[in-house]
Amino acid sequence: MSTPGIAVLPDGGLKSPGPGLITLDPVHTALLHGLDELLTGLAARLSAPEVVGPPLLSVEGLARLDFFRNFPHLGVSAGRFAPEALGGLAAGEAPGELPLRPTGHLLPSATCYGLLLSLEGRDVGEGGLRLSAAGRCFRNETHYDGLRRLWGFHMREVLYLGTKQGSLEHLEQGAEFIQELAGRLGLGLDRAVADDPFYDKGGSRARLMALDPVKHEFSAPDGTAIASVNRHRNFFGERLDIRAGSEGPAYSACVAFGVERWVHAMVLAHGTPERALDRLRDARA
């Protein structure tokens, strides 16, 4: 049975371009957009205005945030064809065999990096600052698996910068929202400590994390993490000279949602994309 208002595609549907790359059909697209609309409810609840982050991140800026020390395998570089390749391109030579030059930039692997780098040297005040943004993110994974693990995907985040207490309250409210929304959507999620800190894994900060975890993930029954709450302490505040008035270097925290993974979790819970879309519509009513 077709879903009302959703176009029916020819037999075979839409082809995916390659590993980790998926073209969403109309039903999955409606799920993606509808879920993202619900996820913005956290930003509305916390009065976090919507912004749009940059499409590329400088390698110099990421290096100062220990990105390459922590995640050397994830980076997807942005390159441009070298001038000596242009003639070959115009002549019809295979692009994959022509030289590329690095641009000094990566595609974002998380939405918050661009926002944090944009606040370098700023004072957010003791009252703190919240921002919400959604972006297409890219990760060079060891393998890809449907909507669970993609090369490019949508990530929505609600970011806080301010005081230590403010960051803790931000994450408490974020965790409550995740469980509340999951209940409305008929999703059963498990909460567990994650092990990918935003700083050097080999130093004293990593040892501290073992005693005081900074990241918790919320996972579907098949183990797919669809949301997380992340406490950065004052790491980014120190590295980027972001201050919280007289409190000194700002503490930061973010609540993150992998939107395609929410689509996956909905289909897993309700059996078919069409049934998942019906449950989404009920939750939005």
Side-chain angles (χ1 to χ4, degrees):
M1 180 181 296
S2 63
T3 301
I6 299 294
V8 178
L9 296 177
D11 291 343
L14 300 170
K15 290 182 62 176
S16 294
L21 305 172
I22 289 182
T23 302
L24 297 180
D25 63 28
V27 179
H28 285 85
T29 298
L31 276 169
L32 182 88
H33 290 312
L35 286 164
D36 186 54
E37 182 178 333
L38 286 181
L39 294 173
T40 62
L42 177 60
R45 181 176 297 183
L46 299 179
S47 299
E50 185 83 2
V51 298
V52 177
L56 297 172
L57 304 176
S58 75
V59 296
E60 182 273 332
L62 289 172
R64 286 189 287 122
L65 303 182
D66 285 352
F67 175 81
F68 299 105
R69 297 180 67 181
N70 291 313
F71 311 113
H73 58 295
L74 288 186
V76 179
S77 178
R80 59 166 61 98
F81 284 105
E84 58 268 26
L86 302 183
L89 288 171
E93 294 183 29
E97 299 177 2
L98 296 173
L100 290 173
R101 285 188 176 177
T103 62
H105 291 79
L106 295 186
L107 300 175
S109 64
T111 300
C112 66
Y113 284 123
L115 306 186
L116 289 160
L117 289 166
S118 299
L119 290 166
E120 182 173 10
R122 300 292 193 265
D123 190 335
V124 299
E126 295 174 19
L129 172 71
R130 286 186 172 91
L131 297 173
S132 175
R136 183 68 70 90
C137 297
F138 302 84
R139 294 182 181 178
N140 182 40
E141 301 278 13
T142 57
H143 69 283
Y144 299 103
D145 180 11
L147 294 175
R148 299 180 64 190
R149 190 176 296 271
L150 289 164
W151 197 0
F153 57 93
H154 294 84
M155 180 185 293
R156 174 164 290 283
E157 294 195 42
V158 182
L159 175 68
Y160 169 86
L161 295 104
T163 65
K164 179 179 181 179
Q165 183 60 34
S167 70
L168 296 175
E169 292 173 357
H170 182 78
L171 296 185
E172 288 175 5
Q173 292 171 305
E176 290 174 1
F177 175 85
I178 292 168
Q179 295 288 27
E180 175 188 311
L181 181 58
R184 290 168 57 192
L185 292 169
L187 301 179
L189 302 182
D190 294 323
R191 178 174 179 169
V193 173
D195 62 356
D196 54 338
F198 282 86
Y199 40 70
D200 177 20
K201 297 179 181 178
S204 60
R205 292 178 186 272
R207 291 192 293 272
L208 177 60
M209 181 187 172
L211 301 174
D212 182 19
V214 298
K215 179 174 182 175
H216 288 80
E217 291 180 332
F218 296 80
S219 298
D222 67 347
T224 303
I226 68 172
S228 64
V229 291
N230 308 271
R231 179 162 56 96
H232 314 143
R233 299 194 177 93
N234 59 358
F235 174 76
F236 290 125
E238 290 179 343
R239 289 294 176 93
L240 297 174
D241 187 30
I242 304 172
R243 301 173 302 284
S246 62
E247 296 290 320
Y251 282 72
S252 61
C254 71
V255 183
F257 307 93
V259 190
E260 280 86 351
R261 289 186 172 195
W262 279 78
V263 174
H264 165 80
M266 286 290 289
V267 176
L268 181 69
H270 301 295
T272 68
E274 290 77 14
R275 291 174 183 166
L277 189 56
D278 288 339
R279 181 58 185 257
L280 172 64
R281 288 169 173 158
D282 291 341
R284 295 170 63 184

